[in-house]
């Protein structure tokens, strides 16, 4: 089966070609079927590989030599191991569901064929990202998904604001990409190779805290902050909600944004040997988690709430990585993919029913009209809030337990963020599904449950959100943490370096109790405020006090415009008008002017007075004579 | 021939050089200080003749006839030059009623 | 297959085109295709080792030791392919434009002769002749068919380049006088062992000529004006191929002939190149004229190529070799896109455009692919070049690489800004009736897009051609530098 691994990315790529070329010719149902089948086919192959793969060593499948220059050799090759298999399952599995969902969601859009072509292309690049056997192939996928993200965010490009959001996403990602690229260069010069199978054994022999390793990991982490929307580069992700909702679910929740975590988990040995970087990652992740949660508290756009929630959850994953809980972070990637894809698709279903209304202030009371959407989203919300035994509880708890052991202060802040998560998520649920309907009559009339192609993925994801956590039941709860064992071969080297979790079971129970208790209290507060009192946020309240800071996203966009974009544009104009036009070009033109002026002055010597000419001639002759006879 | 050569050689070479230098200098100064075109012209002739004298003297002292051949060339040339030069001066006089060269300052930018 | 056939066929083509003015564009196009076929035949016989192949060497002016000596090695081959490959595209892209006249095509083909001479000459005098021969037609093309300010701008362009080349001529003559065998051949130039000070002076003589041609900051100010005022087809010739003469000159002549001068001054040249990358990219941010924006972006990209050469390692050089080809392809695509916009909308102002993607989807896709190639997205040709170049610069100094790498970010900024302003948003009355690309435009853009992706996916084919020669040249210079 492993010989067919090249088919996994090829199938979506073929789907992209067929749909891209035939987007105006093929009928819509056929396009949707081709696109979905391509991804489902990849999923089937991935699944069979998952079931048959039992090698302890990563399997490398060499396709062809891509770049060979001097001693630098970059093969186009795939690597299959436990980590990439898990990612393959997530990408193709959730990808298939979202393709099916999109067939219903996008059915009225004029750009149907284009949409599926892009979506297939995205899956192709995402698969390259996780299957690449070296950093450069990973980088192809890394930038390729950025491209697809750009295309899909700007899918409705006629709206200038959407096009701007797409552009912003691409550029902010590129800032991170430069860090990634420099990191790759440093890896090449340190290890003489880009292939994982050559780098990691060499790295394992280096001492912890090696300066080069720290620099490499910091540069790679800069790459991750761009792709995975961490401070200070996260502001593109909320704007990315301009894209169609299935895109938000697939790209901006389940897969692409977790690429940074995948990359760090893939390079775990490099990071495990760089404690300084790990600390930086933990702090950045935690800050992002709390800041994003804080912003999410006052957002009124249902997708924006979910976007900030994604940023916040990604922050938790980085926090987990930072404290050395690689399995925990990756566990959270998986569970988050389930429940966040679910929530986004649910939100899409709501938006679909509400005739493209996204403002929660105009919703309310939808639970009766959209029962399936409501129930599945409720499951997703409980999962993300972290109530047992749903998926989010296990993964988040594992991260927090590691954080607790690592540093108590980080843990307190992290726990506080988890409470905020529960608060804003249930706020969203209460505003949307409880209370009275606040939209227009037209919308009310139009309200309907979504078609089966949309509710089926919701149900599947809801089930996964319920049971997904059982793949990592901690020992304290009587499990044996299957995921940890499964990923063992990939993380073995760094597990030898990093201390294992050594908390007493009693302490773990205490941590779980605290977080569950806090979450329940948060939910009750939200319930009282938004259901019992029926509070609906008003614009003027959002624009006052601390709400103002949160509602306006801490003014980060304005800050970046003021300190980066504006100065660069001013610099550009300055360079163009002053340095280039007046300065350098002025100098060049000046040379021309000087010769013209000089000739104007010199020609005055030509007086026309013959006597003067003769006199000058005689003087000249005398000078020559004096020079040749006396001086020489 | 013998006669002329010995006659020339009767005077020491230095005297010839000195004389021509004096004549030449008179010519130069004449050209520089006078404004009358005819006087200037005459001064130019004076300079030419100073050179001729020198050529003749050197030629006989070094026993090489080519110097004296040059003298003939120069004299022929000078005659032609005088013809052209005087014609120009006549034209100048007709046009400006003057032969003061300082009037002729149109030859400039 | 004889190299002379390749060299002189364009001249025949020019003559035929001129005489046959009724079918000028057809005969010019066919001539360029035949030349391309010759080049491909040569490629078929080419062995990718370090040797000079298809050598032709006739005495031309024996009294002065001047030979008509041409040959192709791994460094010339990609450029010959680029030149012969781009000419059919450029000629095709001029179909249906007002420039499509017999005299224009004759000049274009004449220029091809000069360019091929530059890329194949192994005699310094012949190189110089080709260098100037290529300049004359482009002068007339710009002067006859350019924009409003063409005379003034063209004058500056001409004087600027000529000033540079005269320094080079000075250097060539000096080197000729030093040769033991009274020769202009490149081999005897390579074998000269002059002292470091002399080589320093010679370095500057050659560097000025090449730096102006490329152009490298701060010798670039002729370029944006000329690119903007020249007819777009002329701009393609200038930016797609002609500036490669400068880069080629640095690799072939400047550094190998004056290695000690390079040792002294190369670092300064490197710094200038890197300044140019950032400087030109930043200027491109706020350009309002679509051609001027591309012109500045080109300065940035060429700066990176130059930086890759001046760091003088295998990755940088190979990156420069492949990026020369890539830049030629991309910039021709970019200027064709600009030409289509200008042709349809009668304006160069970006601000007056918008929403074109909606009315011209094929054009939008082609534009996007060219933009992606230009911003060096992986699996496009630009990535291969920039990756190798940045890696080369990185090996020299990590900070230089970080600064030069800003091109990755800045390139995305100005290119996507332009793409957004031109293609996205709502249409206005000007762009609402924009016609999608037609036959010849479609063909050219399709070839350009195909090349962008093919080279991006399988660059090894191109890298392989130049590898041995580049390594050989590097070792030869390094042995003189006593590394």
């Amino acid at each position: 089966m492993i010989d067919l691994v090249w088919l996994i990315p090829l199938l979506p790529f073929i789907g992209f070609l067929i749909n891209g070329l035939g987007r105006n010719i093929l009928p819509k149902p056929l396009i949707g079927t081709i696109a979905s089948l391509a991804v489902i086919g990849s999923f089937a192959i991935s699944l069979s590989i998952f079931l048959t793969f039992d090698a302890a060593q990563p399997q490398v499948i060499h396709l062809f030599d891509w770049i060979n220059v001097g001693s630098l050799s970059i093969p186009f090759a795939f690597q299959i191991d436990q980590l990439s298999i898990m990612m393959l399952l997530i990408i193709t599995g959730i990808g298939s569901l979202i393709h099916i969902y999109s067939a219903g969601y996008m059915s009225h859009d004029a750009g149907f064929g284009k949409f599926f072509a892009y979506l297939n292309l995205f899956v192709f690049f995402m698969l390259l990202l996780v299957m690449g056997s070296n950093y450069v192939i990973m980088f192809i996928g890394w930038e390729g998904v950025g491209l697809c993200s750009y295309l899909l965010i700007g899918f409705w490009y006629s709206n200038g604001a959407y096009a701007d959001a797409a552009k912003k996403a691409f550029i902010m990602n590129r800032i991170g990409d430069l860090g990634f690229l420099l990191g790759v260069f440093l890896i090449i010069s340190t290890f003489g190779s880009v292939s994982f199978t050559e780098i990691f054994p060499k790295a394992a022999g280096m001492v912890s805290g090696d300066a080069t390793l720290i620099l490499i990991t910091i540069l790679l982490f800069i790459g991750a902050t761009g792709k995975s929307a961490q401070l200070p580069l996260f502001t593109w992700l909320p704007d990315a909600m301009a894209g169609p909702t299935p895109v938000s679910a697939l790209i901006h929740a389940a897969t692409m944004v977790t690429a940074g975590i995948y990359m760090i988990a893939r390079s775990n040995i490099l990071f495990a040997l760089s404690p300084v970087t790990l600390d930086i990652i933990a702090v950045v992740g935690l800050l992002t988690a709390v800041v994003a949660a804080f912003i999410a508290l006052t957002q009124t756009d249902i997708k924006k709430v979910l976007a900030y929630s994604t940023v916040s959850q990604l922050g938790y994953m980085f926090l987990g990585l930072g404290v050395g809980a690689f399995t925990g972070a990756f566990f959270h990637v998986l569970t988050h993919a389930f429940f966040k894809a679910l929530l986004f698709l649910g939100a899409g279903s709501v938006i679909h029913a509400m005739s493209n209304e996204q403002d929660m202030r105009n919703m309310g009371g939808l639970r009766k009209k959209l029962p399936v959407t409501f129930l599945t989203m409720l499951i997703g919300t409980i999962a993300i809030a972290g109530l047992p035994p749903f998926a989010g509880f296990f993964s988040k708890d594992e991260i927090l337990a590691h954080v607790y052991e690592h540093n108590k202060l980080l843990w307190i802040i992290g726990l506080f963020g988890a409470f905020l998560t529960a608060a804003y998520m249930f706020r969203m649920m209460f505003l949307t599904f409880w209370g009275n309907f606040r939209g227009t009559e037209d919308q009310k009339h139009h309200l309907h449950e979504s078609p089966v192609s949309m509710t089926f993925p919701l149900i599947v994801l809801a089930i996964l959100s319920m049971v997904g956590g059982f793949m990592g039941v901690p020992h304290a709860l009587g499990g044996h943490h299957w995921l940890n064992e499964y990923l063992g071969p990939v993380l073995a080297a760094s597990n030898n370096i990093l201390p294992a979790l050594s908390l007493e079971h009693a302490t773990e129970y205490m941590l779980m109790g605290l977080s569950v208790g806090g979450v329940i209290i948060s939910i009750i507060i939200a319930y009282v405020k938004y259901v019992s009192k029926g509070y609906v946020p008003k614009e003027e309240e959002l624009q006052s006090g601390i709400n103002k800071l949160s509602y306006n996203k801490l003014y980060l966009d304005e800050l970046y415009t003021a300190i980066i974009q504006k100065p660069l544009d001013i610099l550009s104009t300055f360079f163009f008008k002053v340095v280039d036009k007046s300065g350098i070009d002025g100098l060049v033109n000046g040379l021309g002017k000087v010769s013209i002026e000089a000739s104007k002055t010199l020609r005055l010597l030509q007086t026309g007075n013959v006597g003067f000419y003769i006199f000058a001639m005689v003087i000249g002759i005398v000078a020559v004579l004096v020079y040749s006879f006396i001086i020489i | 021939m013998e006669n002329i050569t010995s006659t020339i050689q009767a005077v020491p070479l230095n005297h010839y050089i000195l004389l021509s230098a004096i004549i030449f200098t008179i010519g130069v100064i004449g050209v520089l200080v006078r404004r009358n075109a005819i006087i200037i012209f005459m001064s130019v002739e004076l300079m030419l003749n100073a050179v001729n004298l020198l050529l003749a003297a050197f030629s006989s002292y070094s026993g090489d006839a080519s110097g004296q051949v040059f003298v003939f060339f120069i004299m022929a040339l000078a005659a032609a030059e005088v013809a052209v030069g005087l014609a120009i001066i006549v034209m100048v006089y007709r046009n400006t009623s003057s032969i003061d060269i300082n009037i002729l300052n149109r030859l400039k930018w | 297959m004889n190299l002379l056939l390749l060299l002189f066929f364009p001249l025949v083509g020019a003559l035929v085109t001129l005489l046959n003015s009724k079918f000028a564009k057809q005969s010019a196009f066919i001539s360029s295709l035949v030349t391309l076929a010759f080049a491909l035949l040569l490629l078929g016989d080419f062995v990718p080792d370090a040797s000079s192949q298809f050598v032709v060497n006739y005495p031309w002016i024996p009294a002065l030791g001047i030979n008509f000596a041409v040959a192709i090695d791994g460094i010339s081959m990609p450029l010959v392919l680029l030149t012969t490959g781009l000419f059919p595209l450029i000629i095709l892209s001029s179909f249906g434009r007002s420039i499509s006249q017999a005299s224009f095509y004759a000049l274009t083909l004449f220029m091809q002769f000069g360019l091929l001479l530059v890329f194949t000459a192994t005699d310094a005098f012949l190189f110089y002749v080709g260098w100037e021969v290529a300049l004359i037609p482009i002068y007339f093309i710009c002067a006859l068919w350019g924009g409003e300010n063409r005379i003034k701008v063209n004058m500056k362009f001409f004087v600027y380049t000529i000033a540079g080349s005269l320094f080079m001529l000075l250097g060539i003559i000096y080197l000729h006088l030093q040769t033991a065998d009274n020769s202009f051949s490149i081999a005897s130039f390579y074998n000269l062992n002059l002292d470091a000070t002399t080589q320093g002076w010679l370095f500057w003589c050659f560097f000025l000529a090449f730096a102006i041609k490329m152009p490298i900051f701060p010798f670039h100010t002729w370029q944006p004006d000329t690119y903007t005022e020249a007819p777009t087809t002329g701009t393609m010739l200038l930016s797609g191929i002609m500036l490669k003469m400068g880069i080629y000159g640095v690799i072939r002549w400047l550094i190998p002939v004056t290695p000690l001068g390079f040792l002294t001054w190369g670092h300064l040249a490197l710094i200038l190149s890197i300044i140019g990358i950032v400087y030109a990219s930043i200027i491109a941010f706020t350009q309002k004229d679509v051609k001027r924006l591309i012109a500045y972006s080109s300065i940035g990209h060429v700066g990176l190529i130059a930086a890759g050469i001046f760091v003088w390692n295998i990755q940088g050089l190979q990156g420069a070799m492949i990026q020369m080809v890539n830049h030629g392809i991309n910039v021709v695509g970019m200027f064709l896109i600009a030409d289509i916009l200008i042709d349809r909308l009668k304006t160069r102002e970006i601000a007056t455009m918008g929403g074109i993607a909606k009315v011209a989807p094929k054009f939008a896709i082609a534009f996007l692919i060219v933009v992606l190639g230009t911003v060096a997205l992986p699996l496009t040709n630009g990535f291969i070049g920039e990756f190798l170049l940045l890696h080369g610069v990185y090996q020299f100094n990590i900070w230089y690489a970080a600064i030069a790498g800003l091109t990755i970010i800045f390139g995305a900024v100005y290119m996507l800004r332009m793409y957004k302003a031109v293609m996205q948003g709502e249409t206005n009355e000007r762009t609402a009736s924009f016609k999608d690309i037609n036959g010849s435009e479609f063909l050219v853009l399709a070839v350009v897009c195909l090349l962008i992706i093919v080279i991006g996916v399988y660059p090894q084919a191109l890298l392989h051609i130049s590898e041995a020669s580049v390594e050989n040249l590097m070792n030869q210079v390094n042995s003189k530098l006593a590394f």
Side-chain angles (χ1 to χ4, degrees), chain A residues 68 157 174 186 572 580 585, chain C residues 156 220 279 286 296 375 394:
Chain A
N68 267 338
Y157 53 75
R174 272 262 158 145
L186 191 52
S572 169
D580 218 45
D585 206 27
Chain C
K156 183 156 134 194
H220 66 278
Y279 176 80
T286 50
Y296 275 109
V375 302
Y394 174 87

Side-chain angles (χ1 to χ4, degrees), chain A residues 26-104:
Chain A
L26 301 174
K28 278 186 180 178
L30 185 61
I31 290 176
T33 314
I34 292 173
S36 307
L37 278 181
V39 184
I40 292 171
S42 298
F43 177 64
I45 301 173
S46 310
L47 198 62
S48 63
I49 290 178
F50 169 69
L51 294 174
T52 54
F53 189 83
D54 53 0
Q57 291 301 315
Q59 302 291 311
V60 175
I61 297 96
H62 182 93
L63 295 183
F64 60 92
D65 283 340
W66 191 40
I67 301 179
N68 267 338
V69 172
S71 58
L72 173 69
S73 148
I74 301 168
F76 205 105
F78 294 146
Q79 172 169 343
I80 295 298
D81 61 5
Q82 286 79 2
L83 190 62
S84 50
I85 288 176
M86 286 317 281
M87 286 304 283
L88 286 182
L89 287 177
I90 288 289
I91 295 161
T92 54
I94 294 185
S96 307
L97 291 174
I98 289 174
H99 274 72
I100 295 168
Y101 178 92
S102 307

Side-chain angles (χ1 to χ4, degrees), chain A residues 251-541:
Chain A
I251 301 185
H252 304 122
T255 52
M256 182 185 93
V257 287
T258 58
I261 293 114
Y262 164 77
M263 184 262 287
I264 292 178
R266 168 63 74 206
S267 334
N268 58 75
I269 181 67
L270 303 180
F271 283 84
L273 289 170
S274 317
V276 180
T277 318
L278 285 181
D279 287 343
I280 294 174
I281 294 176
V283 172
V284 170
L286 184 64
L287 276 179
T288 313
V290 177
V291 164
F294 171 65
I295 296 175
L297 277 174
T298 56
Q299 296 303 310
T300 54
D301 182 321
I302 186 168
K303 282 182 75 182
K304 284 273 161 78
V305 176
L306 291 174
Y308 281 105
S309 149
T310 306
V311 175
S312 175
Q313 296 303 311
L314 290 168
Y316 277 109
M317 296 173 205
F318 278 100
L319 176 63
L321 293 173
V323 295
F326 291 112
T327 318
F330 194 71
F331 187 18
H332 203 50
V333 167
L334 300 180
T335 58
H336 177 257
F338 299 147
F339 57 68
K340 192 49 71 61
L342 167 63
L343 286 167
F344 265 116
L345 294 185
S349 175
V350 170
I351 295 166
H352 195 68
M354 291 287 296
S355 317
N356 296 325
E357 174 66 62
Q358 300 194 5
D359 194 328
M360 294 187 296
R361 286 172 295 188
N362 298 332
M363 298 175 182
L366 297 181
R367 69 177 185 275
K368 295 190 189 70
K369 300 275 186 184
L370 304 169
V372 181
T373 309
F374 164 65
L375 273 178
T376 49
M377 273 187 90
L378 186 64
I379 292 169
T381 310
I382 297 174
I384 193 176
L387 289 181
F390 289 21
F393 167 75
F394 296 100
S395 53
K396 192 184 284 183
D397 225 63
E398 186 176 345
I399 291 176
L400 285 176
H402 276 89
V403 177
Y404 178 80
E405 197 183 42
H406 190 77
N407 185 321
K408 302 288 182 292
L409 179 65
L410 293 184
W411 173 76
I412 292 172
I413 303 172
L415 195 62
F416 174 66
F419 300 158
L420 288 183
T421 308
Y424 65 73
M425 284 310 298
F426 274 92
R427 169 180 176 271
M428 181 197 87
M429 286 304 287
F430 293 146
L431 277 175
T432 312
F433 291 102
W434 267 268
N436 299 319
F437 187 71
R438 297 181 291 272
T440 61
E441 277 304 309
D442 271 357
Q443 286 171 333
K444 189 169 186 176
H445 187 67
H446 181 255
L447 278 181
H448 61 87
E449 181 57 276
S450 301
V452 182
S453 69
M454 287 167 69
T455 50
F456 167 72
L458 289 177
I459 295 166
V460 176
L461 286 169
I463 295 169
L464 285 172
S465 303
M466 279 196 280
V467 302
F470 294 118
M471 63 178 143
V473 179
H475 298 284
L477 293 178
H480 59 93
H481 210 307
W482 171 83
L483 186 68
N484 200 7
E485 285 175 10
Y486 185 71
L487 292 178
V490 180
L491 301 172
S494 38
N495 283 343
N496 290 339
I497 297 162
L498 296 167
L501 192 63
S502 60
L503 291 176
E504 297 286 322
H505 282 186
T507 321
E508 284 201 53
Y509 296 141
M510 185 270 288
L511 295 177
M512 290 174 196
L514 265 180
S515 80
V516 172
V519 164
I520 291 172
I521 293 170
S522 300
I523 297 171
I524 292 170
I525 294 175
Y527 185 82
V528 169
K529 187 171 180 187
Y530 293 97
V531 181
S532 301
K533 295 185 182 168
Y535 172 78
V536 178
K538 295 182 194 64
E539 188 69 29
E540 61 272 16
E541 284 170 8

Side-chain angles (χ1 to χ4, degrees), chain A residues 603 606-608 613-615, chain B residues 31-32 104-105 107-109:
Chain A
R603 73 182 182 188
Q606 211 83 352
T607 56
Y613 294 166
I614 298 170
F615 178 69
Chain B
V31 168
L32 285 183
L104 305 175
N105 61 357
L107 197 68
K108 61 179 178 185
W109 38 273

Side-chain angles (χ1 to χ4, degrees), chain A residues 66-69 139 143 151 157-158 163-164 170 174 181 185-186 569 572 575-576 579-581 584-585, chain C residues 156 218 220-221 225 279 282-283 286 296 315 358 375 378 394 408 416-417 420 424-426 456-457 459-460:
Chain A
W66 191 40
I67 301 179
N68 267 338
V69 172
F139 190 71
E143 287 239 299
L151 293 172
Y157 53 75
S158 296
D164 275 333
F170 193 86
R174 272 262 158 145
L181 203 55
F185 292 150
L186 191 52
D569 280 350
S572 169
F575 275 170
F576 178 56
V579 180
D580 218 45
K581 284 279 160 200
I584 301 172
D585 206 27
Chain C
K156 183 156 134 194
H220 66 278
T221 53
D225 287 341
Y279 176 80
I282 290 182
I283 288 184
T286 50
Y296 275 109
Q315 279 84 11
K358 205 168 203 170
V375 302
Y394 174 87
I408 287 196
L416 292 185
R417 266 191 188 184
K420 195 239 150 187
Q424 301 178 324
E426 289 291 347
V457 175
Q460 204 51 42

